[in-house]
């Protein structure tokens, strides 16, 4: 007893003034703790829950008579009780086991706050005879499995295993062998021990022991027999464990006084000692030790930080004596309380690096290390060149390399020290793909391994890494990198996994546009990637951006060939003006021997332009209104790179026909100009006939002999009657190189045609004059002479005409009854008369529509004929000062019905 030194490592939080709440009325039979509360069971069958500071929460009636044993579960908020209920029949035992779910209460309207009882089991059955219960223990396996052991005074142990809540259980009976000569020994204690996957049950009887407190000592037992013992004088009433401390309530056999001691067995210290009354229960919760007395008073003992302070002082003492190993052993015990920098500063000397390494290892094992501590420990390993410890620290299978240090710090330190394998291991285990690839590519230049690693990642993560390191990969492994990108951006990889192909899945895949920046210095690889992608995916959501990029690559004069100098590019641009695709493939240059390289570049350029024109046409087919590329960008690219074929196609699709022929005029391509006008100058196919007028002006202002072309143009102008002869003559007269013979035949035919038209007009005039004279005579006759009506039958009913009858000046007669209410106009002639009036009214309205008049004059090939037609129909008339037409009479005109 005198070998144990005393140090106060605990402090009393609640002096003996504290007591259990008054609501706990019965005698406390049993106690349990867990999940932040204490649960007590009383001899009146009630159970009460007590919170931190011994504050009462609530209570409920668990059993009808008494609560004998209870245990609060840790994994689930369940309470398991054994108690005595009312006996319903003599054959049935009143002892039963109940399971309460403390998270669920009885339905609203209940008289008291009562948790939901989810199961009630009868312990004793015909197979399991009734005996006095002396001990009780619940072991929580993986939820929802429970192991419940009930020790009896008969020496038997009843075991219940399974899902108690659903009563999916199995029962087992164990018999403890008697060693005292008696028929049976009562079970005074039970304990579980987990050894790997094995679950061991220890049972204590008066003749067998587990951890036994005897008056002379406390004995420890293992599976194979008795272990160490510690000599404490006095009768042991209670034993327990708290954070590695042994708890004892000891009764002095001479004075019968009770003492509560807390022992530090490792350092052979009495961490706390206090005189207590008659203790009935001992519990541990909230980091405290709670003692409940027989009179329901209670107090708590809390673990104090003073322990660390004592150990620090002792360590400082040993450090001063230069006993560094023992000093470090004391400092390690202060981890969690003493600031690590206090210890680290003492052992930074190179000669004490082993002690510092040991301290840092313990700091990491307890999960209290910072980034700086990780850096320092790894530097210690690298300085000591202790690869074995470095492997244990980094590659330990217990998860230390994943949880006990800062990953990024470990990677950075190992990489800086040249331990690339360890850095890569940590990065891969922690899922830090960017660090893993950074080491592979930047430090080790292992491009194939990097590509293989990227291929093994999830598509989303692979896309992120490609964006970050794609430039390096494209530079060294362009073909393999493009293959990975194609798998990411197409359905190939994913549909192979899924076994099906879904077009809608394309929209969820990464877009090739997201990876354009990695090809900044490798446009040829970019072109290869986009071409392969478009060959696999025809309806990509990003096809407009893809086509824009491809057009820029196809149409560029220089595709940024790194092997070419500035002089080579200038020479290429000069020679490209005179080369064609055929000559580039079959004719050798007469210049330097290096011209072969320039010829190859020109071949490539012409092939790309051919692809560009094909893309322009395929992405804007005739059945599509809008192209699958940016038209404005395409026009700019064609103009910047002098791509005539592309410009002509785009202008034609945009119906900018005048710009089309302007391209031919600028190139002095007369044959192509006329062919273009033949195609685009026909109005029946949606063309613009005015193009011939532009072509004629071009030849008239050309200043060179173009008689052949002019004659061909005049053929189409004459055929479609596009221009008057006077305009043709005035236009061509500006070209001094053209002779009269060019237009001689054309003028002769036009004069002959005009003569025929004049003769036809004369004949029409004579006919209209005769008709006019006849009409005037008829009008005069109607005004001056009487008309005799000789019809004898009604025009409507064809019966004999009788009075009353109605005669019209158009010589139609009717019965008055056949006309009905309409007696003022002839029903036979009225429709024709109305149509004439409607036509006149329409002409009068048209005379006020100036926009329509000028639009017809502008769009007509002969504006004079439109004006003449308006005059002929009386739409345009001479007006007097009052704004009234001079040919309009002041009176109202009479109709046939007026006569």
């Amino acid at each position: 007893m005198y070998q144990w030194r005393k140090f106060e490592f605990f402090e009393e939080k609640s002096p003996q003034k504290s007591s259990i709440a008054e609501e706990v009325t019965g005698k406390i039979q049993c106690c349990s703790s867990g999940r932040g509360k204490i649960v007590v069971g009383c001899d009146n069958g009630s159970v009460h829950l007590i919170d931190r500071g011994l504050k009462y929460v609530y209570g409920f009636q668990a059993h009808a008579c008494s609560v004998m044993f209870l245990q609060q579960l840790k994994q689930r908020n369940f309470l398991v009780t054994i108690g005595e209920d009312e006996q319903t029949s003599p054959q049935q035992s009143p002892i039963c086991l109940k399971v309460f779910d403390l998270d669920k209460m009885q339905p609203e309207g209940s008289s008291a706050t009562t948790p939901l009882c989810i199961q009630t089991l009868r312990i004793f059955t015909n197979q399991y005879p009734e005996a006095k219960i002396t001990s009780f223990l619940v072991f929580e396996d993986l939820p929802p499995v429970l192991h419940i052991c009930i020790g009896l005074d008969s020496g038997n142990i009843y075991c219940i295993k399974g899902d108690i809540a659903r009563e999916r259980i199995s029962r087992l009976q164990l018999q403890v062998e008697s060693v005292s000569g008696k028929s049976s020994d009562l079970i005074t204690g039970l304990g579980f021990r987990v050894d790997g996957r094995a679950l061991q049950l220890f049972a204590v009887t008066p003749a067998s022991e587990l951890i036994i407190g005897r008056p002379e000592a406390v004995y420890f037992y293992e599976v194979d027999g008795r272990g160490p013992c510690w000599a404490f004088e006095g009768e042991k009433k209670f034993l327990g464990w708290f954070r590695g401390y042994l708890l004892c309530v000891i009764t002095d056999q001479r004075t019968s006084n009770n003492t509560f001691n807390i022992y530090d067995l490792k350092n052979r210290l009495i961490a706390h000692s206090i005189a207590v009354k008659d203790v009935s229960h001992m519990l541990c919760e909230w980091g405290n030790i709670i003692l409940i007395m027989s009179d329901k008073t209670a107090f708590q003992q809390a673990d104090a930080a003073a322990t660390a302070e004592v150990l620090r002082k002792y360590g400082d003492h040993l450090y001063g004596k230069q006993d560094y190993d023992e000093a470090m052993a004391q400092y390690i015990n202060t981890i969690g309380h003493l600031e690590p920098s206090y210890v680290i500063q003492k052992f930074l000397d190179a000669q004490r690096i082993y002690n510092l390494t040991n301290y840092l290892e313990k700091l990491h094992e307890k999960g209290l290390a910072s980034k700086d501590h990780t850096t320092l420990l790894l530097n210690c390993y690298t300085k000591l060149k202790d690869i074995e410890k470095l492997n244990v620290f980094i590659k330990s299978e217990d998860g230390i390399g994943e949880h006990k240090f800062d990953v990024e710090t470990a990677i950075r330190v190992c990489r800086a020290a040249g331990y690339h394998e360890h850095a890569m291991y940590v990065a891969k285990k922690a899922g830090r793909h960017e660090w893993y690839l950074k080491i592979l590519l930047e430090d080790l230049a292992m491009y194939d391994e990097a590509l293989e690693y990227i291929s093994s990642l999830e598509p989303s993560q692979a896309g992120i890494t490609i964006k970050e390191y794609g430039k390096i990969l494209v530079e060294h492994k362009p073909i393999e990198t493009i293959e990975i990108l194609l798998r990411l951006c197409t359905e190939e990889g994913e549909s192979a996994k899924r076994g099906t192909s879904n077009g809608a899945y394309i929209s969820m895949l990464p877009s090739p546009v997201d990876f354009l920046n990695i090809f900044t210095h490798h446009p040829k690889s970019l072109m290869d990637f986009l071409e392969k992608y478009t060959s696999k995916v025809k309806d990509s959501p990003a096809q407009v951006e893809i086509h824009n990029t491809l057009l820029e690559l196809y149409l560029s004069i220089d595709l940024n060939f790194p092997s070419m100098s500035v002089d080579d590019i200038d020479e290429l641009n000069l020679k490209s003006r005179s080369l064609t695709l055929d000559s580039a493939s079959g004719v050798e240059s007469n210049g330097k021997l290096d011209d072969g390289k320039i010829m190859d570049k020109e071949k490539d350029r012409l092939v790309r332009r051919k692809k560009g024109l094909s893309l322009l046409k395929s992405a804007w087919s005739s059945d599509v209104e809008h192209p699958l590329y940016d038209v404005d960008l395409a026009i700019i690219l064609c103009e910047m790179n002098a791509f005539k074929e592309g410009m002509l196609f785009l202008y034609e699709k945009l119906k900018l026909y005048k710009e089309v022929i302007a391209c031919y005029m600028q190139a002095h391509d007369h044959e192509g100009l006329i062919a273009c006008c033949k195609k685009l100058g026909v109005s029946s196919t949606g063309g613009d006939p005015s193009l011939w007028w532009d072509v004629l002006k071009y030849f008239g202002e050309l200043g060179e002999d173009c008689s052949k072309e002019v004659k061909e143009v005049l053929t189409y102008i004459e055929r479609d009657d596009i221009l008057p002869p006077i305009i043709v003559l005035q236009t061509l007269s500006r070209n001094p190189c053209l002779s009269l013979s060019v237009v001689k035949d054309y003028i002769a035919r036009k004069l002959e045609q005009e003569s025929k038209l004049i003769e036809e007009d004369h004949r029409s005039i004579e006919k209209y004059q005769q008709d006019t004279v006849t009409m005037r005579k008829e009008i005069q006759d109607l005004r001056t002479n009487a008309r005799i009506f000789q019809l004898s039958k009604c025009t409507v009913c064809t019966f004999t005409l009788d009075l009353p009858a109605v005669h019209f000046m158009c010589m139609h007669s009717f019965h008055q009854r056949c006309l009905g209410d309409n007696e003022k106009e002839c029903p036979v002639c009225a429709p024709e008369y109305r149509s004439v009036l409607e036509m006149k009214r329409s002409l009068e309205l048209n005379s006020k529509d100036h926009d329509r008049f000028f639009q017809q004059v502008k769009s007509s090939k002969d504006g004079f004929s439109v004006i003449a037609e308006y005059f002929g129909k009386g739409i345009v008339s001479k007006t007097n000062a009052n704004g009234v037409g001079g040919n309009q009479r002041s009176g109202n005109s009479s109709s046939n019905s007026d006569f």
Side-chain angles (χ1 to χ4, degrees):
M1 182 68 182
Y2 299 103
Q3 297 177 357
W4 295 86
R5 293 170 294 175
K6 281 191 177 183
F7 289 95
E8 285 296 329
F9 291 161
F10 287 78
E11 61 183 4
E12 186 177 346
K13 291 189 64 177
S14 298
Q16 296 182 359
K17 300 176 183 178
S18 300
S19 61
I20 301 300
E22 295 179 357
E23 288 83 354
V24 183
T25 57
K27 180 181 178 181
I28 298 177
Q29 296 278 87
C30 50
C31 291
S32 180
S33 64
R35 302 182 70 91
K37 55 183 174 291
I38 293 175
V39 185
V40 298
C42 301
D43 59 353
N44 58 5
S46 63
V47 171
H48 304 272
L49 280 74
I50 300 173
D51 204 344
R52 182 183 290 270
L54 304 180
K55 295 180 180 179
Y56 186 78
V57 181
Y58 68 89
F60 63 94
Q61 193 70 27
H63 295 272
C65 298
S66 67
V67 180
M68 303 165 62
F69 299 92
L70 58 79
Q71 183 169 335
Q72 167 71 48
L73 302 188
K74 303 293 192 299
Q75 297 184 25
R76 291 180 293 174
N77 198 16
F78 284 6
L79 178 66
V80 182
T81 66
I82 291 180
E84 183 179 357
D85 286 322
E86 294 180 353
Q87 190 168 9
T88 57
S89 65
Q91 294 80 16
Q92 196 172 37
S93 172
I95 307 300
C96 62
L97 181 145
K98 293 184 178 182
V99 181
F100 296 91
D101 187 347
L102 301 183
D103 288 333
K104 297 180 180 179
M105 294 297 170
Q106 295 288 355
E108 294 184 2
S110 302
S111 59
T113 303
T114 303
L116 181 64
C117 180
I118 58 177
Q119 189 56 262
T120 300
L121 292 177
R122 293 292 176 179
I123 297 176
F124 303 111
T125 63
N126 294 333
Q127 188 177 356
Y128 297 92
E130 183 176 358
K132 182 180 179 181
I133 300 176
T134 56
S135 58
F136 170 68
L137 181 64
V138 179
F139 177 79
E140 298 180 68
D141 205 339
L142 294 177
V145 177
L146 298 178
H147 297 268
I148 299 177
C149 295
I150 302 171
L152 307 174
D153 63 351
S154 62
N156 292 328
I157 301 174
Y158 290 167
C159 299
I160 303 173
K161 176 184 176 182
D163 186 354
I164 307 298
R166 299 184 181 181
E167 204 170 351
R168 297 176 180 176
I169 59 174
S170 60
R171 294 176 182 255
L172 177 67
Q173 180 176 350
L174 301 176
Q175 175 69 48
V176 177
E177 294 181 359
S178 176
V179 295
S180 61
K182 298 180 181 179
S183 60
S184 62
D185 288 328
L186 62 88
I187 308 299
T188 60
L190 295 169
F192 277 106
R193 180 175 183 270
V194 180
D195 185 8
R197 294 187 177 180
L199 184 62
Q200 300 168 346
L201 175 63
F202 288 80
V204 179
T205 68
S208 65
E209 304 114 343
L210 183 60
I211 298 179
I212 303 299
R214 292 186 179 275
E216 71 279 5
V218 174
Y219 298 91
F220 287 75
Y221 285 81
E222 300 292 340
V223 178
D224 52 355
R226 177 181 289 183
C229 68
W230 302 89
F232 309 131
E233 292 183 357
E235 181 184 354
K236 282 64 176 184
K237 297 190 64 177
F238 289 94
L239 291 177
W241 279 106
F242 176 73
R243 297 184 179 178
Y245 293 95
L246 176 64
L247 311 180
C248 284
V249 177
I250 303 174
T251 301
D252 191 328
Q253 295 177 341
R254 292 171 297 179
T255 62
S256 299
N257 294 330
N258 296 323
T259 305
F260 173 61
N261 290 338
I262 302 176
Y263 296 95
D264 182 353
L265 300 181
K266 182 177 181 181
N267 297 302
R268 300 184 64 83
L269 299 173
I270 298 178
H272 187 74
S273 179
I274 186 174
V276 294
K277 298 179 181 180
D278 186 16
V279 179
S280 62
H281 299 90
M282 183 171 64
L283 301 168
C284 297
E285 188 63 29
W286 314 304
N288 299 333
I289 303 166
I290 300 98
L291 301 179
I292 300 177
M293 310 304 172
S294 299
D295 58 358
K296 294 186 180 180
T297 59
F299 67 91
Q300 305 177 46
Q301 305 290 328
D303 190 2
T307 306
E309 181 62 21
V310 172
L311 294 174
R312 181 193 66 78
K313 291 180 179 179
Y314 187 43
D316 291 346
H317 171 71
L318 295 173
Y319 184 86
K321 295 173 60 177
Q322 298 184 355
D323 189 357
Y324 301 119
D325 294 339
E326 286 299 324
M328 180 54 73
Q330 301 303 316
Y331 288 137
I332 287 175
N333 290 326
T334 66
I335 291 176
H337 301 281
L338 182 62
E339 176 61 36
S341 60
Y342 178 85
V343 180
I344 293 172
Q345 289 176 357
K346 291 179 176 290
F347 291 86
L348 284 177
D349 190 282
Q351 296 178 354
R352 302 166 194 161
I353 191 171
Y354 291 98
N355 298 120
L356 178 60
T357 302
N358 186 23
Y359 180 80
L360 292 171
E361 286 174 346
K362 299 298 182 183
L363 203 61
H364 281 81
E365 287 178 6
K366 295 187 177 181
L368 300 175
S370 66
K371 297 180 181 179
D372 295 332
H373 299 148
T374 301
T375 304
L376 188 57
L377 178 58
L378 291 174
N379 283 327
C380 290
Y381 286 149
T382 55
K383 293 291 184 183
L384 295 172
K385 299 187 183 302
D386 194 340
I387 304 300
E388 184 177 351
K389 279 196 172 183
L390 185 61
N391 288 336
V392 172
F393 183 76
I394 294 296
K395 302 181 179 180
S396 177
E397 296 298 329
D398 60 359
I400 290 178
E402 181 179 358
H403 302 291
K404 298 299 182 182
F405 59 79
D406 183 72
V407 171
E408 186 171 340
T409 301
I411 296 172
R412 187 170 56 251
V413 174
C414 291
R415 184 187 180 199
Y419 291 90
H420 297 110
E421 180 186 353
H422 296 82
M424 290 168 59
Y425 179 88
V426 175
K428 187 174 184 179
K429 186 175 181 180
R432 301 297 293 271
H433 312 297
E434 69 280 5
W435 279 101
Y436 189 87
L437 290 171
K438 185 186 289 289
I439 298 169
L440 277 178
L441 297 173
E442 298 180 4
D443 297 340
L444 305 177
M446 300 172 66
Y447 305 110
D448 291 327
E449 290 78 0
L451 289 168
E452 183 178 355
Y453 182 76
I454 291 174
S455 300
S456 67
L457 298 177
E458 290 293 326
S460 59
Q461 189 63 47
I464 294 174
T465 55
I466 283 285
K467 289 178 183 179
E468 187 170 356
Y469 300 103
K471 292 182 180 179
I472 300 177
L473 294 172
V474 169
E475 181 178 356
H476 295 89
K477 295 288 181 180
I479 298 176
E480 295 81 356
T481 305
I482 289 174
E483 289 178 357
I484 292 179
L485 286 175
L486 289 174
R487 288 198 296 269
L488 287 176
C489 299
T490 63
E491 285 188 284
E492 281 186 356
E494 194 65 25
S495 62
K497 296 178 184 178
R498 293 182 286 121
T500 58
S501 178
N502 183 7
Y505 184 75
I506 288 290
S507 60
M508 302 172 60
L509 295 173
S511 171
V513 179
D514 299 336
F515 304 101
L516 296 184
N517 63 314
I518 71 175
F519 295 95
T520 302
H521 303 294
H522 303 278
K524 202 162 188 178
S525 298
L526 174 59
M527 185 171 65
D528 183 31
F529 167 53
L530 294 180
E531 286 177 344
K532 290 180 178 178
Y533 176 81
T534 53
S535 67
K536 295 177 180 293
V537 181
K538 303 299 182 183
D539 53 352
S540 171
Q543 56 188 344
V544 173
E545 293 84 353
I546 294 172
H547 289 162
N548 290 342
T549 306
L550 279 174
L551 283 175
E552 189 170 357
L553 294 170
Y554 288 152
L555 304 184
S556 62
I557 296 176
D558 173 28
L559 198 57
N560 293 331
F561 294 102
S563 60
M564 295 185 64
S565 64
V566 177
D567 296 335
D568 292 335
I569 295 174
D570 293 339
E571 190 171 355
L572 170 62
N573 292 336
L574 290 173
K575 293 196 173 193
S576 65
R577 298 176 183 175
S578 59
L579 291 175
T580 62
L581 183 59
D582 295 333
S583 64
S585 60
V587 179
E588 295 183 358
S589 173
N590 295 326
K592 302 178 297 181
L593 189 61
D594 290 342
D595 285 351
K597 180 174 67 174
I598 298 179
M599 294 288 290
D600 290 339
K601 304 305 180 185
E602 178 60 20
K603 288 180 183 179
D604 177 78
R605 174 172 171 260
L606 294 175
V607 169
R608 285 189 287 108
R609 292 207 165 194
K610 186 177 180 181
K611 290 181 179 179
L613 183 60
S614 176
L615 177 59
L616 286 173
K617 293 181 178 179
S618 63
W620 198 355
S621 56
S622 58
D623 57 342
V624 175
E625 182 178 359
H626 300 289
L628 299 177
Y629 51 81
D630 190 333
V631 178
D632 295 334
L633 176 63
I635 293 176
I636 293 173
L637 292 174
C638 291
E639 291 180 349
M640 288 176 58
N641 298 284
F643 185 39
K644 174 185 172 183
E645 292 83 356
M647 293 173 60
L648 293 176
F649 172 78
L650 293 172
Y651 286 151
E652 182 177 342
K653 292 293 290 185
L654 294 171
K655 299 188 182 300
L656 301 175
Y657 300 140
K658 294 187 182 296
E659 282 76 3
V660 175
I661 64 174
C663 292
Y664 286 102
M665 294 176 183
Q666 186 177 2
H668 213 69
D669 184 2
H670 296 168
E671 183 178 355
L673 176 62
I674 295 176
C676 178
C677 284
K678 290 180 182 179
K679 178 182 177 183
L680 305 178
V682 182
S683 59
S684 59
T685 59
D688 184 5
S690 65
L691 296 179
W692 291 108
W693 160 236
D694 295 328
V695 173
L696 191 66
K697 284 196 298 182
Y698 166 72
F699 287 125
E701 298 172 355
L702 189 58
E704 62 181 53
D705 187 8
C706 49
S707 302
K708 179 183 176 182
E709 291 82 356
V710 171
K711 288 181 180 180
E712 187 173 2
V713 171
L714 289 177
T715 301
Y716 291 98
I717 291 177
E718 181 182 3
R719 185 192 68 180
D720 297 332
D721 195 17
I722 296 172
L723 293 173
I726 187 64
I727 301 297
V728 174
L729 291 175
Q730 289 175 350
T731 303
L732 296 178
S733 63
R734 300 170 186 170
N735 190 342
C737 298
L738 295 177
S739 61
L740 187 60
S741 60
V742 176
V743 297
K744 178 180 178 182
D745 295 337
Y746 166 74
I747 293 300
R749 288 192 297 272
K750 293 299 291 185
L751 289 175
E752 182 180 359
Q753 183 181 1
E754 292 293 335
S755 298
K756 291 180 180 179
L757 292 176
I758 291 172
E759 290 178 1
E760 291 179 1
D761 290 341
H762 280 303
R763 288 195 294 270
S764 298
I765 291 171
E766 290 177 358
K767 179 177 179 300
Y768 290 149
Q769 286 177 346
Q770 292 175 1
D771 292 341
T772 302
V773 171
T774 302
M775 289 182 181
R776 286 176 177 172
K777 287 182 179 180
E778 184 177 356
I779 292 171
Q780 183 65 23
D781 183 51
L782 288 172
R783 287 179 174 176
T784 58
N785 299 324
R787 299 300 291 259
I788 300 174
F789 300 98
Q790 298 180 345
L791 286 179
S792 59
K793 291 184 179 181
C794 176
T795 305
V796 175
C797 63
T798 68
F799 287 102
T800 302
L801 193 65
D802 55 7
L803 295 178
V806 179
H807 304 278
F808 292 93
M809 299 301 291
C810 58
M811 304 307 295
H812 292 132
S813 300
F814 304 89
H815 292 118
Q816 188 177 18
R817 63 179 177 274
C818 292
L819 288 177
D821 296 334
N822 188 12
E823 299 180 358
K824 293 187 178 181
E825 61 180 2
C826 173
V828 177
C829 300
E832 181 179 358
Y833 180 66
R834 289 197 193 98
S835 65
V836 174
L837 289 179
E838 186 64 32
M839 185 183 301
K840 180 182 177 184
R841 202 175 295 114
S842 176
L843 292 174
E844 290 175 352
L845 291 174
N846 290 340
S847 66
K848 299 177 182 179
D849 192 353
H850 306 299
D851 293 337
R852 180 180 179 186
F853 169 73
F854 288 110
Q855 182 63 32
Q856 290 182 0
V857 172
K858 183 178 180 180
S859 60
S860 175
K861 61 183 179 180
D862 185 6
F864 180 77
S865 61
V866 176
I867 299 173
E869 182 182 3
Y870 267 69
F871 272 103
K873 292 179 179 179
I875 299 176
V876 179
S877 60
K878 183 178 180 181
T879 58
N880 55 23
N882 296 326
V884 182
N887 60 348
Q888 185 176 2
R889 296 188 296 270
S890 59
N892 294 330
S893 57
S894 301
S895 62
N896 290 340
S897 61
D898 294 334
F899 292 93

